[in-house]
Amino acid sequence: MLKDVLVVATLGFLAVYVPFHYFDGYGPLLDRIVTEKSEWLTFPGHGDSGLGQVWFVTTSFLDSLTVVIFSTPVAGYLGARNADALRTLAGAVSGLVVGAGVVCALVFSGNDPVWGTNAGIVALAGNLVVSLGVGKYGPRDRDERSDAEVLASDPGPDARADHAPDAVSVEGAKA
């Protein structure tokens, strides 16, 4: 909560301080942008770049998903309440791997944009298919381990280094 308040306060301060300190207000700042960097105000897609309006919209959509949703699965991995929840979240990891692979393959082979859209949209579709497939049809019944064996646990403040379990060598004999 404190971090969020500090971020918003910092952005608010900069949104007021920079224009008034360096440009004497918003009007002179915008006038300078129009005269010196008018290409920044042009919607992408002009010319033969292949990056048209659909590409711009899909890129903006993917950027918003990244900011809003990306941190949510990470919190889910760290806060899984039981082994089944952790196994289901493994589908998201599988989907992310597929999505990253698809995007890299398309971009590095020079096939971005795909049908006028950002290659990330194709990767997002692959990500969703794999995530849902692994989450629904994944091998969760094959693992007979209990939650205590699968999930990490906090040893608490009473745990001491001298109470660590005996070390086991590679061959399986106690050291």
Side-chain angles (χ1 to χ4, degrees), residues 92-107:
V93 173
S94 303
L96 288 173
V97 169
V98 168
V102 168
V103 121
C104 287
L106 290 171
V107 170

Side-chain angles (χ1 to χ4, degrees), residues 9-136:
T10 301
L11 291 175
F13 171 77
L14 291 174
V16 173
Y17 175 77
V18 169
F20 283 95
H21 179 75
Y22 292 103
F23 302 99
D24 296 325
Y26 294 108
L29 168 67
L30 295 174
D31 287 339
R32 189 165 171 190
I33 290 173
V34 169
T35 57
E36 294 182 19
K37 300 288 185 181
S38 61
E39 67 273 8
W40 288 1
L41 304 173
T42 304
F43 198 68
H46 62 284
D48 58 352
S49 68
L51 307 178
Q53 294 175 357
V54 175
W55 181 89
F56 179 78
V57 169
T58 55
T59 300
S60 299
F61 173 71
L62 289 171
D63 288 344
S64 67
L65 286 181
T66 301
V67 169
V68 174
I69 296 176
F70 181 68
S71 59
T72 306
V74 174
Y77 304 143
L78 298 176
R81 296 191 185 273
N82 58 42
D84 287 334
L86 191 60
R87 290 180 192 107
T88 301
L89 288 170
V93 173
S94 303
L96 288 173
V97 169
V98 168
V102 168
V103 121
C104 287
L106 290 171
V107 170
F108 294 141
S109 66
N111 292 317
D112 182 30
V114 179
W115 304 300
T117 66
N118 187 309
I121 290 292
V122 178
L124 179 63
N127 180 335
L128 287 173
V129 168
V130 171
S131 296
L132 294 174
V134 170
K136 183 165 177 84

Side-chain angles (χ1 to χ4, degrees), residues 116-164:
T117 66
N118 187 309
I121 290 292
V122 178
L124 179 63
N127 180 335
L128 287 173
V129 168
V130 171
S131 296
L132 294 174
V134 170
K136 183 165 177 84
Y137 303 110
R140 73 179 68 162
D141 294 337
R142 297 182 196 157
D143 192 350
E144 300 297 327
R145 296 177 295 171
S146 68
D147 289 352
E149 291 178 85
V150 175
L151 299 175
S153 62
D154 183 6
D158 297 333
R160 295 190 328 230
D162 59 331
H163 286 96

